[in-house]
Amino acid sequence: MSDLIQRLNGLCDEQPFHTGWYFKDLKSGQAADRSGAKVVPSASTRKIAILMAALREVHRGRFSLDQPFTIEAKYQHTTSGIFQHFTPGSSFPLRDALVGMIVVSDNTCTGKIADMIGLDVINEFSRSVGMVGTTHRHSTPPGNLGFDHPVEATNATTPSDVGRLLELILRGTQDAGAAEKLGSTTELVQLGLDILSWQKLNQRMPYLLPGGVKVAHKTGTGARNYNDAGIVFAGDEARFILTVYTDGVPATLPDGTAGHSAADLLIAHLARACWDDLVG
């Protein structure tokens, strides 16, 4: 474990921007982190908590997965996802809106879903599962945040918070007690994990892993940060959890590399280092 931690930290130290991570070996139970409790912009990794909060409300009977979800023009002023391009008034089941929110990070769906649930309820859910450094401030993130905005101006979380949520989701697919902690059922939690595994934005954690490896994850991109958080499987076995949060990533690095490319590849190399150490 110490060699892997040294390797992960070495990869981060090579970059001229902040990187925090949380890692857990799901076989041994060993965990480690780098700035795991540091509060940073969550970007779209916040949608994991929103997904699970929505499924809790389904279990409570407040929503149903098959109820109509209608696209509203006021939520279409975004650059994320595909439903910004749909005809206002288009309708499909809430289940499909949850899928869109995760697999293509659709903010038209996310904004409406977050308003349906309520930010207070989402924050209460986050606290209830131990996400003490997480705050959901906006249903749809402000579009005018500059590079130097304070973290308090946006949705925020920590690498360890999201790692703990992912582990609880994984446990909740088999353990009714863990599912109850999420306010849900094992079947609904399994749906949440399945949706995360259908992710289409795979240029970070999965990018350097062997073809066909299952990764249940959610990316996040902000004005200065590139994140990814997920569970990596070896076959059918959940093998490790990794959450990576960069911050202060410049548009261009001193060597001329695009900042987003450097961050994407760093996250990919971190995931590969974990895979090589644990799976080989």
Side-chain angles (χ1 to χ4, degrees), residues 94-105:
L94 175 61
R95 175 200 176 276
D96 296 348
L98 295 173
V99 172
M101 177 177 72
I102 297 297
V103 306
V104 292
S105 203

Side-chain angles (χ1 to χ4, degrees), residues 154-232:
T154 191
N155 301 305
T157 194
T158 74
S160 294
D161 273 7
V162 180
R164 283 190 287 265
L165 175 59
L166 288 168
E167 183 174 6
L168 188 57
I169 292 169
L170 182 65
R171 287 172 46 213
T173 63
Q174 301 292 328
D175 180 347
E180 185 177 357
K181 177 72 173 176
L182 290 161
S184 198
T185 64
T186 55
E187 293 80 9
L188 285 170
V189 176
Q190 183 64 59
L191 174 61
L193 183 65
D194 288 344
I195 292 172
L196 290 166
S197 75
W198 300 336
Q199 177 63 245
K200 304 304 179 187
L201 306 177
N202 292 316
Q203 76 276 24
R204 294 176 191 165
M205 279 181 57
Y207 187 66
L208 295 177
L209 297 178
V213 169
K214 177 181 174 180
V215 185
H217 70 116
K218 182 70 196 76
T219 57
T221 301
R224 64 184 191 217
N225 57 296
Y226 304 86
N227 311 328
D228 205 352
I231 306 165
V232 177

Side-chain angles (χ1 to χ4, degrees), residues 101-118:
M101 177 177 72
I102 297 297
V103 306
V104 292
S105 203
D106 194 277
N107 273 344
T108 299
C109 290
T110 306
K112 181 170 179 176
I113 291 167
D115 281 346
M116 288 170 60
I117 301 169

Side-chain angles (χ1 to χ4, degrees), residues 64-103:
S64 66
L65 290 173
D66 59 359
Q67 73 182 64
F69 182 93
T70 302
I71 295 295
E72 297 178 38
K74 68 179 182 178
Y75 293 108
Q76 292 183 285
H77 301 290
T78 178
T79 59
S80 178
I82 62 172
F83 293 109
Q84 61 183 300
H85 305 297
F86 276 42
T87 304
S90 299
S91 184
F92 41 83
L94 175 61
R95 175 200 176 276
D96 296 348
L98 295 173
V99 172
M101 177 177 72
I102 297 297
V103 306

